[in-house]
Amino acid sequence: MKKYSVPKNFNSSIGHNSLDNYQSLRKNAEQDSNSYWESVAKRIDWFDQWTTVNNTDYSKAHIEWFSNGKLNASYNCIDRHIENGLGEKTALIWQSNDPTTSTNVSYNELLKKVSLFANGLKRAGIKKGDRVCIYMQMIPEAIIAMLACARIGAVHSVVFGAFSSDALKNRINDSECKLLITQDNGVRGLKFDIPMKENADKIADKCPSLKTIVMVERSENDMFMKEGRDITWNQFIDGCSSECPPEVMDAEDPLFILYTSGSTGKPKGVMHTTGGYLVYASHTHELVFDYHQDDVYWCTADIGWITGHSYIVYGPLSNAATQVIFEGVPNYPDFGRFWQIVEQHKINVFYTAPTALRALMKEGDDWVTKYDLSSLKVLGTVGEPIKSPEWHWYFNVIGNEKCPIVDTWWQTETGGILMSPIPGCIPTKPGSATLPLPGIIPEILDEEGKVITERNTTGYLVMTQSWPGQMRTVYGDHQRFIDTYFSQAPGNYFTGDGAYIDDDGYFWITGRVDDVLNVSGHRIGTAEVEGAIGAASGVAEAAVIGYNHEIKGEGIYAFVTLMTGVASSEEIKKDILDTVTKIIGPHAKPSVIQFCSGLPKTRSGKIMRRILKKIAQNETEDLGDISTLADPSVIDSLLEK
Ligand code: WTA
């Protein structure tokens, strides 16, 4: 695999310009981990210094950093920049779905808006430790709401705006949120009335903990408002003071919960705490994107996912960044939208998902070349493996061969990037997240938990040591935390990904080793989708697997058996798609549904997904060992398609 050295004219503005520089950082961090993390933690303003740097004990699945340190995340993302004379600096450039509308919010304005809303929350009875759900699209109020929670010590739980009302209900109930912040309608591309408030209305009665719904008026459509429960954003802050002193939080006080899919049907509430998470998000945002004071930064993720939390809210804002936040979609009003925004706002650092690159690449270069992209300095990707064609397109056509590509590997659970090239230091190879960041110690283990020392041999990717941004627990279910991450390879954090190390020591992620799919960079559990399909009428059983999809990376392929006497039909297919949309959301809809008379199972009733995967990918010449199948005749019917 060809290696690309750091582009000749790239000059790190934060001063990391050689591989030796990286190697010495990595060595120091490994030799004296506490001093390393202590020096990193000083980038954050603490009200009180910590007493111990790292109190983690992996053998007990106990993770604790910067013990007894006191701080506030919102203070670090706003107030301290104002104290440093940056009050008039633009924090957010909101680019609306409509290309002609954008709004700038300075750090001074952000402080005022966050404080007003924080006082509104207090007036509504929200206290430190209470959970608040945020179900919104990409509008400034979403970020203001998150920071207002952080300011008063409430724990936010952001639910991605495309999730259905059922999915919203389950998440509100799991963490017993008292208050929900949403908007009347979402506006994205050609959709001007995504029913956010209506979705909330459908389930509010089934959420016993929920007392208040705050609604931003985005579309200004007439909405149903329930007396005593619903209130508009403006009414909610009316009469509130625009000053709200930040709550003093312990380093280990929860900052947020974010639900993510695992291998069972029930999503996990990944819980992050304040000190370690903020230190890690801030540090990695600067290091990986070479973020410098004057840069204009743009991450195209949604705040509904961890990338939005760490690399739109807490990382960039704690670094006093100026950033674009984007409400729209890459193909509206046309396929040049991303590049038009890069030109308009002179973006220096751009961070997106490979799936977006694949979708845009196929539309041709004319959408790109008509814009001036010369401001770009660093290009990043996240969420799924980037393949060679889109990597080269990104490097050559978007970056004009002068921008390092940072392929960042990380997870909701890790809080921030663990593996990525550092742009001025590490030569890249298309498709590899290259090397661990300093202080991160990955290893590849075999089935027995032994370290694989041979190169180019795939095994399970684990981390042998903690880092400050690591999740602390699964909300309300610490046993699930232990079982999922610390039981397969005791003494290590088990990532759920497969990987190998090549001859240069570079890491290559081979994908999930559990039943989790990665569709357009979105994490979706097969069990969740199977459960949703099973709820459609006439369905007896479903098995869902991922298959290679040109744009989405992985597409969802569903094998479905119907109840006796029910014949397959287009109506049933439609009903299945509608049911999945209702129970999870449109992003979890299968791309292919194949009806079959039976599923391949072992005698103990376990579905042999390996066989289904081969069938879905048309690799049917060799189905592997099928001797353990309870009923081998199902294979013939599956092959009939
Ligand atoms: C996958 C997203 C290859 C991986 C930040 C991981 C990647 C899962 C990469 C986490 C990458 C993420 N290369 N695969 N650069 N980044 N993944 O929790 O399988 O939504 O376990 O976090 O995405 O997805 P999550």
Side-chain angles (χ1 to χ4, degrees), residues 55-75:
N55 234 338
T56 297
D57 182 352
Y58 264 7
S59 70
K60 299 199 172 84
H62 175 80
I63 295 147
E64 182 182 325
W65 284 85
F66 311 118
S67 314
N68 304 311
K70 307 284 181 219
L71 76 165
N72 181 283
S74 137
Y75 175 85

Side-chain angles (χ1 to χ4, degrees), residues 2 11 14 24-25 30 56 76 142 175 206 252 280 314 329 342 354 383 397 435 477 480 502 590 635:
K2 187 173 168 194
N11 189 14
I14 59 165
S24 78
L25 274 176
E30 218 170 304
T56 297
N76 272 283
S175 46
K206 296 177 198 135
E252 288 299 337
Y280 199 70
Y314 293 106
V329 292
V342 169
V397 180
L435 295 165
D477 194 352
R480 189 166 176 201
D502 74 8
I635 296 291

Side-chain angles (χ1 to χ4, degrees), residues 292-308:
H292 185 256
Q293 273 301 304
D294 303 324
D295 289 341
V296 183
Y297 168 87
W298 180 23
C299 166
T300 70
D302 190 286
I303 49 134
W305 307 112
I306 190 69
T307 308

Side-chain angles (χ1 to χ4, degrees), residues 177-195:
C177 295
K178 282 191 178 165
L179 184 138
L180 170 69
I181 307 158
T182 187
Q183 60 193 83
D184 43 12
N185 292 119
V187 177
R188 265 166 75 77
L190 287 168
K191 295 189 199 124
F192 297 106
D193 53 1
I194 303 169

Side-chain angles (χ1 to χ4, degrees), residues 134-188:
I134 300 177
Y135 178 62
M136 296 171 89
Q137 301 287 339
M138 290 295 290
I139 57 176
E141 286 84 351
I143 293 170
I144 293 164
M146 289 166 78
L147 291 171
C149 289
R151 195 161 191 89
I152 65 165
V155 181
H156 58 69
S157 163
V158 181
V159 175
F160 178 50
F163 273 118
S164 68
S165 44
D166 282 10
L168 174 66
K169 177 191 75 190
N170 295 338
R171 285 159 178 77
I172 291 175
N173 286 341
D174 186 74
S175 46
E176 298 174 306
C177 295
K178 282 191 178 165
L179 184 138
L180 170 69
I181 307 158
T182 187
Q183 60 193 83
D184 43 12
N185 292 119
V187 177
R188 265 166 75 77

